[in-house]
């Protein structure tokens, strides 16, 4: 570059020199057109094509063997699986509400306020 500034550039022997140079230019706002070929040429001295091929092979195997979680809604649709007992819950709520009605509690549900929830 111009020799005035010095910035460290991390590089592993199995990295892709072009990708590292692109990221470096973007991170440090270096003009790709003017300086990227120089950076790539510098990094190629340290690159090991065999190590790069081994890394790419390992990554391909890892992607192939990666656990692929399939969301249940894709497999089973939007069906809810639950162990709750809605009828038991409903009876308890109705029992509690009767107590509130007897006590004239303002939080009690009246037949009018619950009519929008009665879906049968």
């Amino acid at each position: 570059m111009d020799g005035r500034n010095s910035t460290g550039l991390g590089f592993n022997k199995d990295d892709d020199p072009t990708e590292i140079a692109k990221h470096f230019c973007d991170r440090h706002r270096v003009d790709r057109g003017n300086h990227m070929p120089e950076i790539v040429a510098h990094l190629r001295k340290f690159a090991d094509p065999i190590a790069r091929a081994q890394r790419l092979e390992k990554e391909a195997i890892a992607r192939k063997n990666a656990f692929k979680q399939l969301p249940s809604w894709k497999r089973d649709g939007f069906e809810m699986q639950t162990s709750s007992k809605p009828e038991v819950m409903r009876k308890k709520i109705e029992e509690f509400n009767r107590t509130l009605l007897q006590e004239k509690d303002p939080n009690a549900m009246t037949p009018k306020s619950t009519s929008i929830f009665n879906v049968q």
Side-chain angles (χ1 to χ4, degrees):
M1 315 242 238
D2 63 9
R4 289 182 290 174
N5 295 326
S6 177
T7 303
L9 173 59
F11 184 78
N12 296 314
K13 65 181 183 177
D14 60 355
D15 285 337
D16 177 13
T18 305
E19 284 299 310
I20 298 298
K22 282 181 190 176
H23 292 297
F24 178 82
C25 289
D26 292 345
R27 186 178 314 120
H28 298 287
R29 296 187 179 121
V30 173
D31 181 30
R32 281 188 186 183
N34 292 330
H35 299 293
M36 194 165 137
E38 183 182 341
I39 296 169
V40 172
H42 173 73
L43 294 176
R44 282 210 171 108
K45 297 179 216 171
F46 306 104
D48 181 354
I50 295 171
R52 178 75 180 152
Q54 290 171 343
R55 175 180 173 179
L56 292 174
E57 184 179 347
K58 283 181 185 178
E59 289 174 356
I61 291 169
R63 277 192 305 276
K64 182 181 175 187
N65 295 330
F67 178 70
K68 294 173 184 72
Q69 184 174 3
L70 184 64
S72 62
W73 63 269
K74 283 189 174 184
R75 185 185 67 227
D76 300 325
F78 287 101
E79 182 179 326
M80 291 194 60
Q81 309 268 333
T82 181
S83 61
S84 64
K85 299 177 176 84
E87 284 307 312
V88 174
M89 291 170 55
R90 183 184 185 115
K91 286 178 185 178
K92 286 288 186 184
I93 291 170
E94 288 172 349
E95 180 183 317
F96 179 68
N97 192 55
R98 278 193 293 278
T99 306
L100 293 176
L101 284 169
Q102 288 172 354
E103 296 171 358
K104 299 190 191 286
D105 189 304
N107 295 313
M109 293 184 290
T110 62
K112 183 179 179 183
S113 67
T114 60
S115 64
I116 61 170
F117 299 109
N118 289 336
V119 180
Q120 294 181 5

